[in-house]
Amino acid sequence: MRTRRDARYTSQACPRCEHTSKNNRPGKGLLFTREACGYTQHADLVGGRNVRLRTLVARQDRTITGRVSTVPDVDSNDIGPDPVEESRNLLTLVRGS
């Protein structure tokens, strides 16, 4: 099943606390920083994660209710591990340090 999701503002929305603001992308750079909850990540990874969550929510709602909802039924624990931290851990294991 193919699903189209609106990707606007996904790199400005915090996947942890769901706050969306231009201030989360200082200087429109590649770093996403949410000072209130402390979440920091590469902005493209944040955007991709948010698109994935929106897609999962749409599929879940469509499967359960037969219609698409705009309100997610997930919390910050459902987001998954931090891909950057996982990469660092893998590099540490590979390098043996």
Side-chain angles (χ1 to χ4, degrees), residues 38-90:
Y39 189 78
T40 301
Q41 182 65 269
H42 189 285
D44 291 342
L45 294 175
V46 170
R49 184 175 282 183
N50 286 330
V51 168
R52 183 180 76 191
L53 282 174
R54 289 180 185 184
T55 302
L56 290 173
V57 167
R59 287 182 178 178
Q60 176 187 22
D61 287 345
R62 187 172 185 176
T63 301
I64 293 171
T65 66
R67 58 191 169 98
V68 177
S69 173
T70 58
V71 180
D73 187 23
V74 296
D75 61 21
S76 61
N77 295 324
D78 295 329
I79 294 172
D82 182 353
V84 172
E85 190 62 34
E86 283 186 332
S87 297
R88 286 183 190 137
N89 292 339
L90 182 59

